[in-house]
PDB file of all heavy atoms in Angstrom:
ATOM      1  N   ASP A 178      59.225  49.712   4.025  1.00 98.00           N
ATOM      2  CA  ASP A 178      60.651  50.056   4.073  1.00 98.00           C
ATOM      3  C   ASP A 178      61.012  51.060   2.971  1.00 98.00           C
ATOM      4  O   ASP A 178      61.834  51.962   3.174  1.00 98.00           O
ATOM      5  CB  ASP A 178      61.511  48.806   3.948  1.00 98.00           C
ATOM      6  CG  ASP A 178      61.427  47.903   5.180  1.00 98.00           C
ATOM      7  OD1 ASP A 178      60.926  48.373   6.223  1.00 98.00           O
ATOM      8  OD2 ASP A 178      61.819  46.725   5.074  1.00 98.00           O
ATOM      9  N   ALA A 179      60.420  50.870   1.783  1.00 98.00           N
ATOM     10  CA  ALA A 179      60.752  51.730   0.645  1.00 98.00           C
ATOM     11  C   ALA A 179      60.321  53.177   0.862  1.00 98.00           C
ATOM     12  O   ALA A 179      60.876  54.095   0.243  1.00 98.00           O
ATOM     13  CB  ALA A 179      60.116  51.179  -0.624  1.00 98.00           C
ATOM     14  N   LEU A 180      59.362  53.403   1.747  1.00 98.00           N
ATOM     15  CA  LEU A 180      58.869  54.768   1.985  1.00 98.00           C
ATOM     16  C   LEU A 180      59.833  55.595   2.826  1.00 98.00           C
ATOM     17  O   LEU A 180      59.776  56.821   2.815  1.00 98.00           O
ATOM     18  CB  LEU A 180      57.510  54.707   2.683  1.00 98.00           C
ATOM     19  CG  LEU A 180      56.358  54.100   1.872  1.00 98.00           C
ATOM     20  CD1 LEU A 180      55.127  53.903   2.750  1.00 98.00           C
ATOM     21  CD2 LEU A 180      56.030  54.988   0.686  1.00 98.00           C
ATOM     22  N   LYS A 181      60.699  54.920   3.608  1.00 96.00           N
ATOM     23  CA  LYS A 181      61.705  55.603   4.440  1.00 96.00           C
ATOM     24  C   LYS A 181      61.063  56.649   5.382  1.00 96.00           C
ATOM     25  O   LYS A 181      61.561  57.756   5.563  1.00 96.00           O
ATOM     26  CB  LYS A 181      62.784  56.235   3.577  1.00 96.00           C
ATOM     27  CG  LYS A 181      63.521  55.223   2.703  1.00 96.00           C
ATOM     28  CD  LYS A 181      64.727  55.819   2.036  1.00 96.00           C
ATOM     29  CE  LYS A 181      65.411  54.799   1.123  1.00 96.00           C
ATOM     30  NZ  LYS A 181      65.771  53.555   1.805  1.00 96.00           N
ATOM     31  N   LEU A 182      59.951  56.256   5.975  1.00 98.00           N
ATOM     32  CA  LEU A 182      59.292  57.085   6.979  1.00 98.00           C
ATOM     33  C   LEU A 182      59.772  56.698   8.363  1.00 98.00           C
ATOM     34  O   LEU A 182      60.485  55.700   8.516  1.00 98.00           O
ATOM     35  CB  LEU A 182      57.777  56.900   6.859  1.00 98.00           C
ATOM     36  CG  LEU A 182      57.127  57.475   5.595  1.00 98.00           C
ATOM     37  CD1 LEU A 182      55.666  57.052   5.500  1.00 98.00           C
ATOM     38  CD2 LEU A 182      57.231  58.998   5.570  1.00 98.00           C
ATOM     39  N   PRO A 183      59.397  57.430   9.411  1.00 98.00           N
ATOM     40  CA  PRO A 183      59.779  57.042  10.778  1.00 98.00           C
ATOM     41  C   PRO A 183      59.289  55.643  11.112  1.00 98.00           C
ATOM     42  O   PRO A 183      58.404  55.096  10.438  1.00 98.00           O
ATOM     43  CB  PRO A 183      59.094  58.098  11.638  1.00 98.00           C
ATOM     44  CG  PRO A 183      58.941  59.287  10.763  1.00 98.00           C
ATOM     45  CD  PRO A 183      58.677  58.726   9.392  1.00 98.00           C
ATOM     46  N   PRO A 184      59.848  55.015  12.162  1.00 98.00           N
ATOM     47  CA  PRO A 184      59.474  53.648  12.513  1.00 98.00           C
ATOM     48  C   PRO A 184      57.960  53.493  12.723  1.00 98.00           C
ATOM     49  O   PRO A 184      57.309  54.378  13.280  1.00 98.00           O
ATOM     50  CB  PRO A 184      60.241  53.384  13.823  1.00 98.00           C
ATOM     51  CG  PRO A 184      61.353  54.374  13.813  1.00 98.00           C
ATOM     52  CD  PRO A 184      60.850  55.576  13.088  1.00 98.00           C
ATOM     53  N   VAL A 185      57.424  52.351  12.275  1.00 98.00           N
ATOM     54  CA  VAL A 185      56.007  52.060  12.471  1.00 98.00           C
ATOM     55  C   VAL A 185      55.834  51.563  13.902  1.00 98.00           C
ATOM     56  O   VAL A 185      55.984  50.378  14.209  1.00 98.00           O
ATOM     57  CB  VAL A 185      55.497  51.018  11.461  1.00 98.00           C
ATOM     58  CG1 VAL A 185      54.037  50.671  11.742  1.00 98.00           C
ATOM     59  CG2 VAL A 185      55.648  51.538  10.044  1.00 98.00           C
ATOM     60  N   SER A 186      55.511  52.489  14.796  1.00 98.00           N
ATOM     61  CA  SER A 186      55.340  52.154  16.220  1.00 98.00           C
ATOM     62  C   SER A 186      53.897  51.905  16.600  1.00 98.00           C
ATOM     63  O   SER A 186      53.636  51.367  17.675  1.00 98.00           O
ATOM     64  CB  SER A 186      55.896  53.296  17.075  1.00 98.00           C
ATOM     65  OG  SER A 186      57.287  53.446  16.859  1.00 98.00           O
ATOM     66  N   LEU A 187      52.967  52.310  15.736  1.00 98.00           N
ATOM     67  CA  LEU A 187      51.544  52.129  15.987  1.00 98.00           C
ATOM     68  C   LEU A 187      50.899  51.495  14.750  1.00 98.00           C
ATOM     69  O   LEU A 187      51.122  51.960  13.627  1.00 98.00           O
ATOM     70  CB  LEU A 187      50.855  53.460  16.279  1.00 98.00           C
ATOM     71  CG  LEU A 187      51.442  54.319  17.404  1.00 98.00           C
ATOM     72  CD1 LEU A 187      50.700  55.636  17.492  1.00 98.00           C
ATOM     73  CD2 LEU A 187      51.381  53.578  18.731  1.00 98.00           C
ATOM     74  N   ILE A 188      50.118  50.445  14.976  1.00 98.00           N
ATOM     75  CA  ILE A 188      49.388  49.801  13.882  1.00 98.00           C
ATOM     76  C   ILE A 188      47.924  49.677  14.274  1.00 98.00           C
ATOM     77  O   ILE A 188      47.609  49.170  15.346  1.00 98.00           O
ATOM     78  CB  ILE A 188      49.953  48.407  13.549  1.00 98.00           C
ATOM     79  CG1 ILE A 188      51.404  48.514  13.044  1.00 98.00           C
ATOM     80  CG2 ILE A 188      49.085  47.693  12.517  1.00 98.00           C
ATOM     81  CD1 ILE A 188      52.059  47.174  12.749  1.00 98.00           C
ATOM     82  N   ALA A 189      47.036  50.148  13.401  1.00 98.00           N
ATOM     83  CA  ALA A 189      45.598  49.962  13.552  1.00 98.00           C
ATOM     84  C   ALA A 189      45.161  48.919  12.531  1.00 98.00           C
ATOM     85  O   ALA A 189      45.128  49.210  11.332  1.00 98.00           O
ATOM     86  CB  ALA A 189      44.865  51.285  13.340  1.00 98.00           C
ATOM     87  N   SER A 190      44.886  47.725  13.000  1.00 98.00           N
ATOM     88  CA  SER A 190      44.464  46.641  12.110  1.00 98.00           C
ATOM     89  C   SER A 190      42.940  46.572  12.130  1.00 98.00           C
ATOM     90  O   SER A 190      42.347  46.131  13.106  1.00 98.00           O
ATOM     91  CB  SER A 190      45.072  45.313  12.551  1.00 98.00           C
ATOM     92  OG  SER A 190      44.727  44.292  11.660  1.00 98.00           O
ATOM     93  N   LEU A 191      42.330  46.997  11.039  1.00 97.00           N
ATOM     94  CA  LEU A 191      40.876  47.168  11.006  1.00 97.00           C
ATOM     95  C   LEU A 191      40.154  46.032  10.297  1.00 97.00           C
ATOM     96  O   LEU A 191      38.934  45.916  10.387  1.00 97.00           O
ATOM     97  CB  LEU A 191      40.531  48.498  10.319  1.00 97.00           C
ATOM     98  CG  LEU A 191      41.254  49.736  10.868  1.00 97.00           C
ATOM     99  CD1 LEU A 191      40.827  50.976  10.110  1.00 97.00           C
ATOM    100  CD2 LEU A 191      41.026  49.896  12.368  1.00 97.00           C
ATOM    101  N   THR A 192      40.899  45.178   9.605  1.00 94.00           N
ATOM    102  CA  THR A 192      40.286  44.091   8.860  1.00 94.00           C
ATOM    103  C   THR A 192      41.295  42.987   8.592  1.00 94.00           C
ATOM    104  O   THR A 192      42.496  43.256   8.470  1.00 94.00           O
ATOM    105  CB  THR A 192      39.695  44.611   7.516  1.00 94.00           C
ATOM    106  OG1 THR A 192      39.041  43.564   6.840  1.00 94.00           O
ATOM    107  CG2 THR A 192      40.789  45.171   6.621  1.00 94.00           C
ATOM    108  N   ASN A 193      40.814  41.752   8.554  1.00 94.00           N
ATOM    109  CA  ASN A 193      41.661  40.608   8.215  1.00 94.00           C
ATOM    110  C   ASN A 193      42.933  40.517   9.065  1.00 94.00           C
ATOM    111  O   ASN A 193      44.011  40.204   8.573  1.00 94.00           O
ATOM    112  CB  ASN A 193      42.038  40.621   6.734  1.00 94.00           C
ATOM    113  CG  ASN A 193      40.839  40.467   5.821  1.00 94.00           C
ATOM    114  OD1 ASN A 193      39.967  39.623   6.065  1.00 94.00           O
ATOM    115  ND2 ASN A 193      40.759  41.280   4.795  1.00 94.00           N
ATOM    116  N   THR A 194      42.782  40.793  10.363  1.00 97.00           N
ATOM    117  CA  THR A 194      43.954  40.765  11.252  1.00 97.00           C
ATOM    118  C   THR A 194      44.641  39.413  11.248  1.00 97.00           C
ATOM    119  O   THR A 194      45.875  39.346  11.253  1.00 97.00           O
ATOM    120  CB  THR A 194      43.544  41.146  12.685  1.00 97.00           C
ATOM    121  OG1 THR A 194      43.054  42.499  12.686  1.00 97.00           O
ATOM    122  CG2 THR A 194      44.720  41.038  13.637  1.00 97.00           C
ATOM    123  N   ASP A 195      43.871  38.321  11.231  1.00 96.00           N
ATOM    124  CA  ASP A 195      44.488  36.999  11.270  1.00 96.00           C
ATOM    125  C   ASP A 195      45.337  36.746  10.028  1.00 96.00           C
ATOM    126  O   ASP A 195      46.385  36.098  10.085  1.00 96.00           O
ATOM    127  CB  ASP A 195      43.440  35.893  11.450  1.00 96.00           C
ATOM    128  CG  ASP A 195      42.245  36.019  10.529  1.00 96.00           C
ATOM    129  OD1 ASP A 195      42.193  36.986   9.730  1.00 96.00           O
ATOM    130  OD2 ASP A 195      41.354  35.153  10.586  1.00 96.00           O
ATOM    131  N   THR A 196      44.910  37.275   8.870  1.00 96.00           N
ATOM    132  CA  THR A 196      45.670  37.109   7.634  1.00 96.00           C
ATOM    133  C   THR A 196      46.996  37.854   7.688  1.00 96.00           C
ATOM    134  O   THR A 196      48.025  37.369   7.203  1.00 96.00           O
ATOM    135  CB  THR A 196      44.851  37.614   6.430  1.00 96.00           C
ATOM    136  OG1 THR A 196      43.623  36.897   6.369  1.00 96.00           O
ATOM    137  CG2 THR A 196      45.608  37.444   5.122  1.00 96.00           C
ATOM    138  N   HIS A 197      46.981  39.041   8.289  1.00 97.00           N
ATOM    139  CA  HIS A 197      48.150  39.926   8.230  1.00 97.00           C
ATOM    140  C   HIS A 197      49.008  39.885   9.489  1.00 97.00           C
ATOM    141  O   HIS A 197      50.071  40.532   9.510  1.00 97.00           O
ATOM    142  CB  HIS A 197      47.686  41.383   8.011  1.00 97.00           C
ATOM    143  CG  HIS A 197      46.851  41.611   6.803  1.00 97.00           C
ATOM    144  ND1 HIS A 197      47.269  41.259   5.536  1.00 97.00           N
ATOM    145  CD2 HIS A 197      45.623  42.173   6.658  1.00 97.00           C
ATOM    146  CE1 HIS A 197      46.332  41.606   4.655  1.00 97.00           C
ATOM    147  NE2 HIS A 197      45.324  42.137   5.312  1.00 97.00           N
ATOM    148  N   PHE A 198      48.626  39.150  10.527  1.00 97.00           N
ATOM    149  CA  PHE A 198      49.209  39.336  11.852  1.00 97.00           C
ATOM    150  C   PHE A 198      50.731  39.155  11.864  1.00 97.00           C
ATOM    151  O   PHE A 198      51.452  39.985  12.432  1.00 97.00           O
ATOM    152  CB  PHE A 198      48.559  38.397  12.854  1.00 97.00           C
ATOM    153  CG  PHE A 198      48.859  38.730  14.284  1.00 97.00           C
ATOM    154  CD1 PHE A 198      48.503  39.938  14.825  1.00 97.00           C
ATOM    155  CD2 PHE A 198      49.520  37.807  15.106  1.00 97.00           C
ATOM    156  CE1 PHE A 198      48.770  40.264  16.151  1.00 97.00           C
ATOM    157  CE2 PHE A 198      49.789  38.107  16.439  1.00 97.00           C
ATOM    158  CZ  PHE A 198      49.419  39.339  16.948  1.00 97.00           C
ATOM    159  N   THR A 199      51.245  38.103  11.257  1.00 97.00           N
ATOM    160  CA  THR A 199      52.705  37.898  11.294  1.00 97.00           C
ATOM    161  C   THR A 199      53.433  38.992  10.522  1.00 97.00           C
ATOM    162  O   THR A 199      54.521  39.427  10.939  1.00 97.00           O
ATOM    163  CB  THR A 199      53.082  36.509  10.737  1.00 97.00           C
ATOM    164  OG1 THR A 199      52.543  36.355   9.426  1.00 97.00           O
ATOM    165  CG2 THR A 199      52.539  35.401  11.635  1.00 97.00           C
ATOM    166  N   GLN A 200      52.846  39.466   9.429  1.00 97.00           N
ATOM    167  CA  GLN A 200      53.440  40.594   8.700  1.00 97.00           C
ATOM    168  C   GLN A 200      53.490  41.845   9.562  1.00 97.00           C
ATOM    169  O   GLN A 200      54.472  42.591   9.542  1.00 97.00           O
ATOM    170  CB  GLN A 200      52.633  40.907   7.444  1.00 97.00           C
ATOM    171  CG  GLN A 200      52.785  39.950   6.285  1.00 97.00           C
ATOM    172  CD  GLN A 200      52.233  40.574   5.013  1.00 97.00           C
ATOM    173  OE1 GLN A 200      52.863  41.441   4.416  1.00 97.00           O
ATOM    174  NE2 GLN A 200      51.042  40.137   4.617  1.00 97.00           N
ATOM    175  N   LEU A 201      52.414  42.083  10.295  1.00 98.00           N
ATOM    176  CA  LEU A 201      52.343  43.292  11.111  1.00 98.00           C
ATOM    177  C   LEU A 201      53.399  43.277  12.221  1.00 98.00           C
ATOM    178  O   LEU A 201      54.005  44.310  12.511  1.00 98.00           O
ATOM    179  CB  LEU A 201      50.940  43.440  11.710  1.00 98.00           C
ATOM    180  CG  LEU A 201      49.787  43.570  10.701  1.00 98.00           C
ATOM    181  CD1 LEU A 201      48.470  43.770  11.428  1.00 98.00           C
ATOM    182  CD2 LEU A 201      50.044  44.703   9.713  1.00 98.00           C
ATOM    183  N   ILE A 202      53.603  42.122  12.812  1.00 98.00           N
ATOM    184  CA  ILE A 202      54.626  42.032  13.849  1.00 98.00           C
ATOM    185  C   ILE A 202      56.010  42.280  13.256  1.00 98.00           C
ATOM    186  O   ILE A 202      56.864  42.921  13.879  1.00 98.00           O
ATOM    187  CB  ILE A 202      54.549  40.659  14.543  1.00 98.00           C
ATOM    188  CG1 ILE A 202      53.243  40.579  15.354  1.00 98.00           C
ATOM    189  CG2 ILE A 202      55.753  40.437  15.464  1.00 98.00           C
ATOM    190  CD1 ILE A 202      52.956  39.230  15.923  1.00 98.00           C
ATOM    191  N   ASP A 203      56.231  41.812  12.043  1.00 98.00           N
ATOM    192  CA  ASP A 203      57.513  42.026  11.369  1.00 98.00           C
ATOM    193  C   ASP A 203      57.725  43.513  11.088  1.00 98.00           C
ATOM    194  O   ASP A 203      58.841  44.028  11.209  1.00 98.00           O
ATOM    195  CB  ASP A 203      57.527  41.228  10.059  1.00 98.00           C
ATOM    196  CG  ASP A 203      58.911  41.060   9.473  1.00 98.00           C
ATOM    197  OD1 ASP A 203      59.898  41.174  10.249  1.00 98.00           O
ATOM    198  OD2 ASP A 203      59.017  40.834   8.258  1.00 98.00           O
ATOM    199  N   ILE A 204      56.666  44.219  10.748  1.00 98.00           N
ATOM    200  CA  ILE A 204      56.739  45.653  10.454  1.00 98.00           C
ATOM    201  C   ILE A 204      56.880  46.489  11.718  1.00 98.00           C
ATOM    202  O   ILE A 204      57.572  47.507  11.742  1.00 98.00           O
ATOM    203  CB  ILE A 204      55.477  46.098   9.678  1.00 98.00           C
ATOM    204  CG1 ILE A 204      55.450  45.467   8.293  1.00 98.00           C
ATOM    205  CG2 ILE A 204      55.376  47.616   9.590  1.00 98.00           C
ATOM    206  CD1 ILE A 204      54.100  45.598   7.591  1.00 98.00           C
ATOM    207  N   LEU A 205      56.235  46.053  12.806  1.00 98.00           N
ATOM    208  CA  LEU A 205      56.149  46.845  14.036  1.00 98.00           C
ATOM    209  C   LEU A 205      57.516  47.115  14.660  1.00 98.00           C
ATOM    210  O   LEU A 205      58.341  46.219  14.792  1.00 98.00           O
ATOM    211  CB  LEU A 205      55.253  46.128  15.044  1.00 98.00           C
ATOM    212  CG  LEU A 205      54.880  46.886  16.325  1.00 98.00           C
ATOM    213  CD1 LEU A 205      54.002  48.078  16.016  1.00 98.00           C
ATOM    214  CD2 LEU A 205      54.190  45.938  17.308  1.00 98.00           C
ATOM    215  N   ALA A 206      57.730  48.350  15.073  1.00 98.00           N
ATOM    216  CA  ALA A 206      58.973  48.708  15.762  1.00 98.00           C
ATOM    217  C   ALA A 206      58.970  48.133  17.178  1.00 98.00           C
ATOM    218  O   ALA A 206      57.919  47.891  17.757  1.00 98.00           O
ATOM    219  CB  ALA A 206      59.100  50.233  15.839  1.00 98.00           C
ATOM    220  N   PRO A 207      60.156  47.882  17.751  1.00 98.00           N
ATOM    221  CA  PRO A 207      60.227  47.426  19.137  1.00 98.00           C
ATOM    222  C   PRO A 207      59.462  48.378  20.065  1.00 98.00           C
ATOM    223  O   PRO A 207      59.476  49.588  19.871  1.00 98.00           O
ATOM    224  CB  PRO A 207      61.722  47.448  19.434  1.00 98.00           C
ATOM    225  CG  PRO A 207      62.368  47.254  18.104  1.00 98.00           C
ATOM    226  CD  PRO A 207      61.492  47.989  17.128  1.00 98.00           C
ATOM    227  N   GLN A 208      58.768  47.782  21.040  1.00 98.00           N
ATOM    228  CA  GLN A 208      57.949  48.496  22.014  1.00 98.00           C
ATOM    229  C   GLN A 208      56.737  49.199  21.375  1.00 98.00           C
ATOM    230  O   GLN A 208      56.170  50.107  21.958  1.00 98.00           O
ATOM    231  CB  GLN A 208      58.784  49.524  22.795  1.00 98.00           C
ATOM    232  CG  GLN A 208      59.974  48.895  23.524  1.00 98.00           C
ATOM    233  CD  GLN A 208      60.760  49.908  24.318  1.00 98.00           C
ATOM    234  OE1 GLN A 208      60.374  50.269  25.440  1.00 98.00           O
ATOM    235  NE2 GLN A 208      61.847  50.398  23.753  1.00 98.00           N
ATOM    236  N   GLY A 209      56.365  48.719  20.201  1.00 98.00           N
ATOM    237  CA  GLY A 209      55.222  49.287  19.507  1.00 98.00           C
ATOM    238  C   GLY A 209      53.893  48.719  19.990  1.00 98.00           C
ATOM    239  O   GLY A 209      53.832  47.858  20.869  1.00 98.00           O
ATOM    240  N   LYS A 210      52.805  49.188  19.394  1.00 98.00           N
ATOM    241  CA  LYS A 210      51.449  48.778  19.778  1.00 98.00           C
ATOM    242  C   LYS A 210      50.639  48.426  18.537  1.00 98.00           C
ATOM    243  O   LYS A 210      50.695  49.155  17.531  1.00 98.00           O
ATOM    244  CB  LYS A 210      50.741  49.908  20.528  1.00 98.00           C
ATOM    245  CG  LYS A 210      51.425  50.341  21.826  1.00 98.00           C
ATOM    246  CD  LYS A 210      50.645  51.487  22.471  1.00 98.00           C
ATOM    247  CE  LYS A 210      51.310  51.942  23.764  1.00 98.00           C
ATOM    248  NZ  LYS A 210      50.552  53.036  24.417  1.00 98.00           N
ATOM    249  N   ILE A 211      49.897  47.329  18.637  1.00 98.00           N
ATOM    250  CA  ILE A 211      48.922  46.958  17.611  1.00 98.00           C
ATOM    251  C   ILE A 211      47.529  47.041  18.217  1.00 98.00           C
ATOM    252  O   ILE A 211      47.280  46.466  19.277  1.00 98.00           O
ATOM    253  CB  ILE A 211      49.169  45.537  17.074  1.00 98.00           C
ATOM    254  CG1 ILE A 211      50.553  45.431  16.407  1.00 98.00           C
ATOM    255  CG2 ILE A 211      48.076  45.140  16.073  1.00 98.00           C
ATOM    256  CD1 ILE A 211      50.882  44.038  15.909  1.00 98.00           C
ATOM    257  N   GLY A 212      46.647  47.760  17.562  1.00 98.00           N
ATOM    258  CA  GLY A 212      45.252  47.828  17.983  1.00 98.00           C
ATOM    259  C   GLY A 212      44.370  47.226  16.906  1.00 98.00           C
ATOM    260  O   GLY A 212      44.609  47.438  15.718  1.00 98.00           O
ATOM    261  N   LEU A 213      43.347  46.470  17.308  1.00 97.00           N
ATOM    262  CA  LEU A 213      42.455  45.858  16.325  1.00 97.00           C
ATOM    263  C   LEU A 213      41.010  45.983  16.740  1.00 97.00           C
ATOM    264  O   LEU A 213      40.686  46.143  17.912  1.00 97.00           O
ATOM    265  CB  LEU A 213      42.826  44.394  16.069  1.00 97.00           C
ATOM    266  CG  LEU A 213      42.746  43.416  17.230  1.00 97.00           C
ATOM    267  CD1 LEU A 213      42.472  42.009  16.699  1.00 97.00           C
ATOM    268  CD2 LEU A 213      44.073  43.377  17.991  1.00 97.00           C
ATOM    269  N   ILE A 214      40.143  45.900  15.712  1.00 97.00           N
ATOM    270  CA  ILE A 214      38.708  46.036  15.961  1.00 97.00           C
ATOM    271  C   ILE A 214      37.913  44.874  15.375  1.00 97.00           C
ATOM    272  O   ILE A 214      36.721  44.757  15.646  1.00 97.00           O
ATOM    273  CB  ILE A 214      38.154  47.347  15.365  1.00 97.00           C
ATOM    274  CG1 ILE A 214      38.241  47.346  13.831  1.00 97.00           C
ATOM    275  CG2 ILE A 214      38.867  48.553  15.947  1.00 97.00           C
ATOM    276  CD1 ILE A 214      37.499  48.477  13.171  1.00 97.00           C
ATOM    277  N   ASP A 215      38.553  44.041  14.556  1.00 94.00           N
ATOM    278  CA  ASP A 215      37.797  43.009  13.842  1.00 94.00           C
ATOM    279  C   ASP A 215      37.734  41.727  14.653  1.00 94.00           C
ATOM    280  O   ASP A 215      38.212  41.669  15.794  1.00 94.00           O
ATOM    281  CB  ASP A 215      38.386  42.766  12.446  1.00 94.00           C
ATOM    282  CG  ASP A 215      39.816  42.269  12.488  1.00 94.00           C
ATOM    283  OD1 ASP A 215      40.536  42.566  13.468  1.00 94.00           O
ATOM    284  OD2 ASP A 215      40.237  41.566  11.548  1.00 94.00           O
ATOM    285  N   ASP A 216      37.148  40.693  14.087  1.00 91.00           N
ATOM    286  CA  ASP A 216      36.967  39.409  14.760  1.00 91.00           C
ATOM    287  C   ASP A 216      37.763  38.351  13.995  1.00 91.00           C
ATOM    288  O   ASP A 216      37.228  37.749  13.049  1.00 91.00           O
ATOM    289  CB  ASP A 216      35.490  39.018  14.803  1.00 91.00           C
ATOM    290  CG  ASP A 216      34.631  40.066  15.493  1.00 91.00           C
ATOM    291  OD1 ASP A 216      35.061  40.535  16.563  1.00 91.00           O
ATOM    292  OD2 ASP A 216      33.577  40.418  14.963  1.00 91.00           O
ATOM    293  N   PRO A 217      39.024  38.116  14.354  1.00 93.00           N
ATOM    294  CA  PRO A 217      39.829  37.152  13.611  1.00 93.00           C
ATOM    295  C   PRO A 217      39.165  35.774  13.535  1.00 93.00           C
ATOM    296  O   PRO A 217      38.692  35.256  14.545  1.00 93.00           O
ATOM    297  CB  PRO A 217      41.127  37.095  14.408  1.00 93.00           C
ATOM    298  CG  PRO A 217      41.214  38.417  15.097  1.00 93.00           C
ATOM    299  CD  PRO A 217      39.795  38.770  15.434  1.00 93.00           C
ATOM    300  N   VAL A 218      39.133  35.217  12.337  1.00 91.00           N
ATOM    301  CA  VAL A 218      38.550  33.890  12.145  1.00 91.00           C
ATOM    302  C   VAL A 218      39.495  32.827  12.672  1.00 91.00           C
ATOM    303  O   VAL A 218      39.093  31.893  13.366  1.00 91.00           O
ATOM    304  CB  VAL A 218      38.236  33.656  10.651  1.00 91.00           C
ATOM    305  CG1 VAL A 218      37.690  32.234  10.442  1.00 91.00           C
ATOM    306  CG2 VAL A 218      37.242  34.698  10.160  1.00 91.00           C
ATOM    307  N   GLN A 219      40.766  32.987  12.343  1.00 93.00           N
ATOM    308  CA  GLN A 219      41.801  32.068  12.843  1.00 93.00           C
ATOM    309  C   GLN A 219      42.460  32.683  14.082  1.00 93.00           C
ATOM    310  O   GLN A 219      42.582  33.905  14.182  1.00 93.00           O
ATOM    311  CB  GLN A 219      42.857  31.820  11.762  1.00 93.00           C
ATOM    312  CG  GLN A 219      42.300  31.179  10.489  1.00 93.00           C
ATOM    313  CD  GLN A 219      41.695  29.820  10.753  1.00 93.00           C
ATOM    314  OE1 GLN A 219      42.206  29.048  11.556  1.00 93.00           O
ATOM    315  NE2 GLN A 219      40.588  29.526  10.070  1.00 93.00           N
TER     316      GLN A 219
END
């Protein structure tokens, strides 16, 4: 939020997705997309 950049509509989660997942959804703009490559433990 402090960066004041355009809405975060795309997220590439490359590591520790399970740790960050709820944060990422909070950051993601409506109708956005999350892409991941890792293997969530939880």
Side-chain angles (χ1 to χ4, degrees):
D178 291 345
L180 294 171
K181 301 190 182 305
L182 291 172
V185 177
S186 297
L187 306 176
I188 296 177
S190 183
L191 309 180
T192 183
N193 296 316
T194 296
D195 48 358
T196 301
H197 303 305
F198 194 60
T199 55
Q200 285 195 75
L201 299 183
I202 292 172
D203 196 22
I204 293 167
L205 188 66
Q208 303 182 81
K210 299 179 180 181
I211 298 178
L213 62 152
I214 66 170
D215 62 333
D216 303 314
V218 177
Q219 299 298 322

